[in-house]
Amino acid sequence: MAVSGVVLVPQAHPRPAGGWKVVVDAHGASGIAADCAPSLMRDLYHGDQMVRFLEQGYAVVVPDYAGLGTTGRPELVNKTAEAEDIAGAVRSARQAVPGLSGTGCCGATPRAAAPHSASPNAR
């Protein structure tokens, strides 16, 4: 299943040696319809947070979870699928955008983790 998303890089900061460190917005849910994808929202669901990270020189990856922004069955309450979508978004971002670092915002090697959610099924 195709999964969409957005990659933002800081325009006000030149690419540092080793690349821009990456922050991933493992967002909650605004619904499960295809048009509830953050990539289709004017503010990417958490626009103010994204701007703060960009201002600090981080690249930001905003994945849509499977079924949001594309066709297919939404997997929003499936923690494993969400974690795989997050990890896949980072891999895809690194392939699509030259200059992204191989480490996360704090120098850590990125790992997939279950995202936060308002869903009672996401534990």
Side-chain angles (χ1 to χ4, degrees):
M1 172 185 304
V3 179
S4 54
V6 175
V7 181
L8 306 169
V9 294
Q11 298 298 304
H13 296 270
R15 183 178 59 154
W20 289 292
K21 292 186 178 179
V22 177
V23 172
V24 180
D25 178 30
H27 55 84
S30 62
I32 61 169
D35 61 351
C36 293
S39 67
L40 300 176
M41 297 178 183
R42 185 179 180 111
D43 69 351
L44 299 176
Y45 192 53
H46 292 124
D48 56 335
Q49 294 174 7
M50 305 304 102
V51 169
R52 285 194 294 266
F53 284 122
L54 291 167
E55 288 173 345
Q56 294 175 33
Y58 296 109
V60 180
V61 175
V62 184
D64 296 332
Y65 302 124
L68 298 179
T70 63
T71 58
R73 180 176 170 249
E75 293 286 337
L76 198 57
V77 295
N78 179 334
K79 293 185 291 187
T80 301
E82 288 179 37
E84 290 171 357
D85 289 344
I86 292 165
V90 173
R91 283 190 302 272
S92 295
R94 288 200 173 105
Q95 290 175 355
V97 179
L100 297 185
S101 171
T103 60
C105 69
C106 305
T109 301
R111 296 175 203 54
H116 66 82
S117 176
S119 168
N121 297 324
R123 295 178 192 221

